[in-house]
Amino acid sequence: FSPVVLALLLMGASPQESRFTPEADWDVLGQVLVQDGGRRKPLEAFAREKLWRIVGSQTWEGQSPVCTLFSMCFDPGWDHERVLKAGHPELVRLLKADPEKKRVSLEDLGSEPFERLMDSAERKVKEERTALDRAVLDLADRAITLRELPNHLRVLPSGKTRWLAMGESPDGRGPVPSSYIHANNAFAAMAGAWTRGDPAGFSAASRDWASACADAAAVERAELAGKIPLERGYYRLQPFRWALGMYFV
């Protein structure tokens, strides 16, 4: 498989006038296993955790979190979308964010005022950092999470501790498993269909991708068969939020 093809698809995409929201089987896609944070989890849980880190919510504009995840991977328009929580009044003022929403974009973080704040915060030792410094570093980390989402889609077991993300080649001189080739080709097809705004093409490619990922991680899926639906149910039910609400009542 060729990571160059994937890179060209992602880099060559152009912003669309309205955000592409294809119909796909998000439930099936949400069951794809991902290795993240030192453990294996379903893609839906991964998507919810990343969205919480980026936008401060497990969903965005009522979409399936898996749909939003792929949108952030494939659509360069997110560079201009004000979704990152600024987290400090001074940042809101300097980056000219909406005082109510308090959100900024990746593009905003390339401004001179933010780069000065970032440089100042990084020069200080941890004990010397102010609340503004910490907010700046936290915002920068949120931006990195958004920008590097495709690199964290580690869905292919490698026989080692660290799984492979899309476009990464397995180490060793043995033949590459056909399921790995299939998964990477399908993911590249998903990116292409998203760029073209092709709902049918994306739906077909996403089914192929989910199937290839399931084949590649068949052993791991068997080990976690009972835990995958439990974790997905946990995130959907959000028991701690309900418990907190009942506590206040």
Side-chain angles (χ1 to χ4, degrees):
F1 56 89
S2 173
V4 175
V5 174
L6 178 60
L8 288 174
L9 281 167
L10 294 177
M11 293 171 62
S14 58
Q16 301 171 16
E17 291 182 4
S18 59
R19 198 167 304 287
F20 178 54
T21 53
E23 292 295 327
D25 196 336
W26 305 118
D27 188 64
V28 170
L29 287 167
Q31 297 178 49
V32 170
L33 276 184
V34 184
Q35 186 203 50
D36 178 63
R39 71 180 186 88
R40 299 162 297 181
K41 62 187 71 171
L43 182 62
E44 182 178 329
F46 172 86
R48 288 177 180 274
E49 289 173 0
K50 295 303 179 185
L51 287 179
W52 180 264
R53 180 66 189 133
I54 294 167
V55 305
S57 173
Q58 292 188 19
T59 59
W60 181 254
E61 296 184 346
Q63 283 185 339
S64 158
V66 178
C67 178
T68 306
L69 174 77
F70 284 126
S71 180
M72 288 177 168
C73 287
F74 299 143
D75 187 349
W78 286 95
D79 285 358
H80 319 290
E81 190 86 17
R82 289 194 153 182
V83 294
L84 302 168
K85 295 184 71 174
H88 194 282
E90 186 65 10
L91 277 176
V92 172
R93 185 186 68 80
L94 285 173
L95 299 178
K96 300 178 181 179
D98 185 317
E100 292 185 6
K101 295 182 178 179
K102 301 178 182 179
R103 296 184 182 276
V104 298
S105 67
L106 285 173
E107 193 175 50
D108 293 330
L109 303 196
S111 65
E112 186 178 339
F114 186 79
E115 289 182 352
R116 286 200 305 268
L117 288 173
M118 188 69 184
D119 182 64
S120 173
E122 288 180 329
R123 288 174 181 273
K124 297 177 183 177
V125 297
K126 186 176 180 179
E127 292 73 19
E128 294 177 347
R129 288 171 183 162
T130 64
L132 176 58
D133 293 327
R134 292 191 294 272
V136 167
L137 294 173
D138 181 69
L139 180 55
D141 185 70
R142 291 175 187 270
I144 291 171
T145 302
L146 173 56
R147 187 171 281 131
E148 296 187 353
L149 270 180
N151 298 331
H152 292 279
L153 273 175
R154 302 192 179 283
V155 297
L156 303 177
S158 63
K160 298 182 179 180
T161 303
R162 183 176 175 273
W163 287 20
L164 301 175
M166 295 292 91
E168 286 188 317
S169 299
D171 296 331
R173 299 179 181 179
V176 178
S178 60
S179 58
Y180 288 33
I181 300 172
H182 187 185
N184 276 276
N185 289 341
F187 194 74
M190 289 165 65
W194 199 289
T195 302
R196 296 190 306 272
D198 177 5
F202 179 84
S203 181
S206 67
R207 285 195 300 270
D208 288 344
W209 183 73
S211 175
C213 290
D215 290 343
V219 174
E220 290 77 11
R221 290 184 66 84
E223 292 175 359
L224 301 172
K227 296 181 180 179
I228 294 174
L230 282 176
E231 181 159 3
R232 297 179 69 212
Y234 166 80
Y235 275 97
R236 292 182 179 187
L237 183 59
Q238 299 186 43
F240 285 105
R241 176 177 292 182
W242 285 102
L244 184 62
M246 292 174 67
Y247 172 79
F248 277 112
V249 171

